[in-house]
Amino acid sequence: MGANYIFSLTPTFTQGLVFGQLSILVLLVLILKYLFLDSGPPQLASPLAYSTASFEKERASVSRPNFPVCETEFRNEKDGAESADWFNLILRQVVETYRTKLRNDLPGSDGDEIARRRIERFANTIRPQSFVDPIQILSVDLGSSAPRISGARIKTRVPGTDEGDQAIFDMTYTDTLSVSLSTSVLFHYPIPYFIRLPITLNVSLSLFSSSVALTPPDPLSSNPTLTISLPSSFTLDLKTTSLMGSRAKLADVPKLHEMIQAQVRRVLAERGTWKVVMPWVTTVEEVREEVAKEEEQSILDNEELL
């Protein structure tokens, strides 16, 4: 009868198999926990303490492009597209104004620090607290260029449709815009806040290009607005460098780059329409109510199709 027991004083093949599987499982857990994962409490350190040599080398190797204020390369008389030099001049000044105000009108490292703190504060207000530890922004590069518009053309109203006249532009944005951050991903199995995976990221913009549709307000609308919209077929190229782990680190995980780019694309696609309220004609609250009704109607229409 003793041969029917899994554990006995005399080693058997079954005992050796079970003990070997348990040993491999324990060894795997120890490697993950003490090399890649961090089970200690989060430490709030100086942002400079998270900087790595690879990120510093990455940022130092990127040179700032120097774009002239007035550009004549967008003139195209063959296809009837209008020159957008005047609009590029205004757009560049608008972007530079926001960039300066984000730095609180301070140059150099003082302005960089103020911009870093503001972006860090905003990032922590939108982070999922049950999934991500507090985000620490290590450094921010606000860039030095601005989106460039070309190929301005008119798309006239199509009879029998709800689409009105539109002005179509081609937009291209290439800059040194980048952000470096450090945080930890929380794991709640088998108990809440069991372990955390430290992650350090550096995300920079390589290229963003898209057509932009500018729809003028409809005089017959109850809430006329100027609408700016992006199509879902825009081009987005991000460059991502990453370090994952506590003691042993995994560098530049391709799946992480794909996930970040996909999330940014999704947010831009979902929020790719902006409505500018006409002063003294309508209010922001009225426009929001109208947009909410349009979204509800769109959901009902999709349910009927299904």
Side-chain angles (χ1 to χ4, degrees), residues 291-306:
V291 171
K293 292 179 181 179
E294 291 177 355
E295 292 178 351
E296 292 178 0
Q297 186 62 39
S298 178
I299 294 174
L300 293 177
D301 295 340
N302 293 333
E303 291 178 352
E304 291 178 358
L305 292 176
L306 295 177

Side-chain angles (χ1 to χ4, degrees), residues 78-190:
K78 294 182 179 180
D79 56 5
E82 181 184 351
S83 171
D85 294 346
W86 62 273
F87 192 79
N88 285 318
L89 176 62
I90 296 175
L91 184 59
R92 183 181 181 89
Q93 292 301 109
V94 170
V95 173
E96 188 62 30
T97 300
Y98 277 105
R99 186 180 290 136
T100 302
K101 296 305 177 184
L102 185 60
R103 297 164 56 92
N104 203 20
D105 298 330
L106 295 178
S109 59
D110 294 336
D112 293 339
E113 178 62 16
I114 291 178
R116 186 198 66 79
R117 290 179 181 178
R118 288 180 173 177
I119 295 176
E120 182 177 89
R121 191 181 305 115
F122 173 75
N124 282 288
T125 57
I126 63 174
R127 70 177 175 89
Q129 298 184 5
S130 61
F131 180 66
V132 178
D133 255 353
I135 299 174
Q136 294 165 335
I137 302 297
L138 309 180
S139 65
V140 174
D141 187 345
L142 300 179
S144 60
S145 181
R148 294 181 290 176
I149 300 298
S150 63
R153 54 201 180 273
I154 300 298
K155 180 181 179 182
T156 58
R157 180 192 298 269
V158 178
T161 63
D162 296 333
E163 294 184 0
D165 296 333
Q166 290 182 330
I168 309 296
F169 306 91
D170 295 326
M171 182 181 67
T172 303
Y173 185 33
T174 303
D175 205 347
T176 59
L177 190 69
S178 67
V179 59
S180 297
L181 61 90
S182 177
T183 185
S184 295
V185 178
L186 303 176
F187 293 90
H188 302 284
Y189 184 84

